[in-house]
Amino acid sequence: MSGNKYEVALDETWELFGQYMSGTRAGLCCVISSEPLSEAAEKALDSSLAALGYGHDACTFVAPGDLDQQALFVLIEGLDPICIVAADGKSAALLGQAYHLAVPSGKATRLLGRTAVSFLDFESLLKTPQDKQIAWALLKKLPRFGDKRS
């Protein structure tokens, strides 16, 4: 077995759940959505995370499909992201079941030490400049990467 234990876990996670994931292999942010996000939504999230100091291509996108809450928990813990974004209400509910915690929409919460934010429908917030500002305000609740105060 080569590599460190984090690389081994990441490799195993992609081997087990790769069909549900896209984006960056070792993303600092795990974005969960009930359906795969549009290219525009993925780019908006990538740009937002870059503005928060995570760099470009910081997201691993997960569309859990038929995964149950226990499998989603194993998937996320295998990725070991710094933060989590639930892009819609259905994915937020599954995330809450996986972590046995409420994941309130429009607010930041903590999931095993990670900051998580949840949208009712991120895609719909990309339609107008005002709605984009609402989305950005919630994403700014994620910690700035490298910020010692977070």
Side-chain angles (χ1 to χ4, degrees):
M1 192 176 273
S2 64
N4 67 40
K5 66 181 179 179
Y6 300 106
E7 290 172 346
V8 170
L10 187 61
D11 289 343
E12 289 175 351
T13 300
W14 276 92
E15 191 174 311
L16 287 170
F17 302 110
Q19 71 188 61
Y20 302 101
M21 300 186 294
S22 63
T24 302
R25 183 178 173 279
L28 298 174
C29 180
C30 180
V31 179
I32 302 162
S33 57
S34 58
E35 298 291 327
L37 293 173
S38 68
E39 186 176 330
E42 287 185 2
K43 285 183 179 180
L45 286 162
D46 182 55
S47 295
S48 297
L49 272 286
L52 292 171
Y54 292 78
H56 287 283
D57 300 322
C59 298
T60 301
F61 298 97
V62 176
D66 59 353
L67 290 178
D68 64 19
Q69 68 246 22
Q70 185 177 6
L72 180 62
F73 180 83
V74 170
L75 185 159
I76 294 169
E77 290 303 309
L79 292 175
D80 195 22
I82 291 173
C83 58
I84 301 171
V85 173
D88 55 62
K90 187 175 177 182
S91 61
L94 184 59
L95 187 62
Q97 292 168 358
Y99 282 86
H100 304 288
L101 295 168
V103 179
S105 179
K107 296 182 180 180
T109 192
R110 301 287 286 176
L111 300 174
L112 290 183
R114 297 178 188 92
T115 302
V117 295
S118 172
F119 294 90
L120 281 177
D121 186 355
F122 180 78
E123 293 262 7
S124 72
L125 293 175
L126 300 178
K127 294 180 179 168
T128 69
Q130 182 179 1
D131 286 343
K132 286 178 183 178
Q133 288 301 313
I134 292 168
W136 174 235
L138 182 55
L139 289 169
K140 287 193 304 187
K141 294 182 186 229
L142 295 171
R144 290 190 177 272
F145 190 68
D147 188 349
K148 303 278 190 244
R149 296 172 290 161
S150 295

